[in-house]
Amino acid sequence: MSGSRFLALLLTLGLLGSSAAGRGQEVERSEGLPGVSEPDAYARGLEHLEAGRWQDALDIWEDGFEELSGEGAHDPRLGFAFIETATRHEATERYTAATTIYLWGLTPPVYRDGADVLDEEVDRLRIIWDDAETERFGTAAEEGRDALLLEIKRWWIELDPIPATRENERLTEHWLRIRDARTRFQYNTRSAIDTDDRGEIYLRYGEPERISKGFLGANEQELRLRVPNTSARRRLRGYDSSPQYEVWVYESLNSEEFTAFLFGRDDLSGTFGLVDGVTDLIPRAAMSRNSSRNTPGGIPASFYLELFYYQDLSKVGGHFGRRFAELEQRWDGAMYRRRSFVSAAPLTPPESSLEALRFRYEEEDRNAPPTPPEVHVASEYDAAGR
């Protein structure tokens, strides 16, 4: 790992002060990194892997581990590549070796060409670290690379659910989840494990109990009810982008009610990923004051879309259902007043009341989400989570 990349790692962890930054250069020079002759075992294994001979690659990496062990050197590239390949192909008979070689690769001193992959591994692990663990590893990183390596190694040993076996089942589960996520969640690859945001949630919590997905938008019956005029309906539909969505429901992450994660294509970024709430999925054009000129109630089109989107999500239940019921009550009240008292009364609730509801929903979604996970990570080997 170059001095600049190591300093970047410390800064990323958020626990590096200016004085520690000065020490980082000294740490980098003080840690010896032994080498071996080229081409090394890692490179030769990759050649076989790229040719489809993954079993030969595992053999080469295991031989390289044994050779380097005899020289007192360690190459984390072998550990990461071995466990990634073994889990990708469900080579269960290799899982014990995968644990051994992975943990060996985290033992100083580290072979010089194997240091760069540590940045990538830290990025992957940060997905499952909580705040206390991030601080723990940030403190270790301030002491130098060797201290960070040993702290990560110690942490995985602590998580081993069955110490009597040579395989670390929690480590294996972690890499199996990475494998599954890379196969299934590929709308983009912006996460540290080369998946979209669903991959990160999957890595932390595993398979959700329920998934609801599709496209949000007003159905024709509801649209006719709220917007009787044909031309007005056409104009309103022009603001509806029918955004794609997924809701993942976990029943056991919160003791009060299920936890839901909403994914969709954020209108601001155009990227499919985890969003705070429904407002993120509403087209910006529908939020504009100009859109109110094209709606029968004279309010921005976004308030109509918000009602329709929550109606679609209400089938999930939980806070989606409660919010839709609250919105529906406001809208139905406006229709009742128009029909029963004043024929010229607006078809919509007062804009101020809808704004107040939206503000409350957004504040909850961003700062105090309904029934958030009570654990940061859930594993089948730790029923209580952590």
Side-chain angles (χ1 to χ4, degrees), residues 162-339:
I162 313 175
T165 64
R166 293 175 58 196
E167 177 190 348
N168 185 325
E169 292 80 6
R170 180 64 185 91
L171 177 62
T172 301
E173 178 192 55
H174 172 74
W175 277 94
L176 286 171
R177 286 182 178 181
I178 291 177
R179 177 204 65 179
D180 292 345
R182 287 173 174 170
T183 301
R184 299 169 56 187
F185 311 125
Q186 290 289 308
Y187 283 134
N188 55 70
T189 57
R190 70 179 184 177
S191 79
I193 56 173
D194 301 318
T195 69
D196 59 56
D197 289 349
R198 293 173 298 171
E200 293 197 5
I201 298 300
Y202 184 84
L203 187 59
R204 287 165 58 182
Y205 301 117
E207 192 73 34
E209 280 80 9
R210 290 190 283 136
I211 295 178
S212 176
K213 59 184 178 180
F215 296 88
L216 300 174
N219 62 59
E220 188 62 27
Q221 180 179 356
E222 185 69 14
L223 193 57
R224 286 178 179 274
L225 176 66
R226 305 298 178 186
V227 187
N229 183 272
T230 301
S231 60
R233 285 201 302 275
R234 184 171 57 254
R235 291 193 299 270
L236 186 58
R237 280 201 179 279
Y239 291 101
D240 185 5
S241 61
S242 299
Q244 181 183 6
Y245 80 94
E246 281 192 27
V247 178
W248 286 17
V249 172
Y250 291 89
E251 304 284 356
S252 58
L253 297 183
N254 190 292
S255 57
E256 295 182 2
E257 188 179 66
F258 66 73
T259 298
F261 295 96
L262 175 62
F263 304 92
R265 200 169 300 281
D266 191 317
D267 189 69
L268 286 176
S269 67
T271 302
F272 187 92
L274 185 65
V275 297
D276 289 324
V278 169
T279 304
D280 293 332
L281 305 180
I282 296 176
R284 299 307 105 178
M287 294 281 193
S288 71
R289 172 54 54 186
N290 287 338
S291 69
S292 62
R293 301 173 184 173
N294 296 311
T295 65
I299 61 175
S302 59
F303 290 113
Y304 288 89
L305 299 184
E306 187 173 28
L307 173 69
F308 300 148
Y309 291 1
Y310 270 114
Q311 181 177 31
D312 283 345
L313 292 170
S314 64
K315 61 187 178 185
V316 176
H319 71 281
F320 296 115
R322 290 191 293 272
R323 289 179 181 179
F324 172 65
E326 194 169 20
L327 286 167
E328 185 180 41
Q329 184 179 34
R330 298 289 177 93
W331 282 81
D332 286 350
M335 293 184 63
Y336 176 77
R337 287 191 297 273
R338 178 183 175 92
R339 292 171 179 171

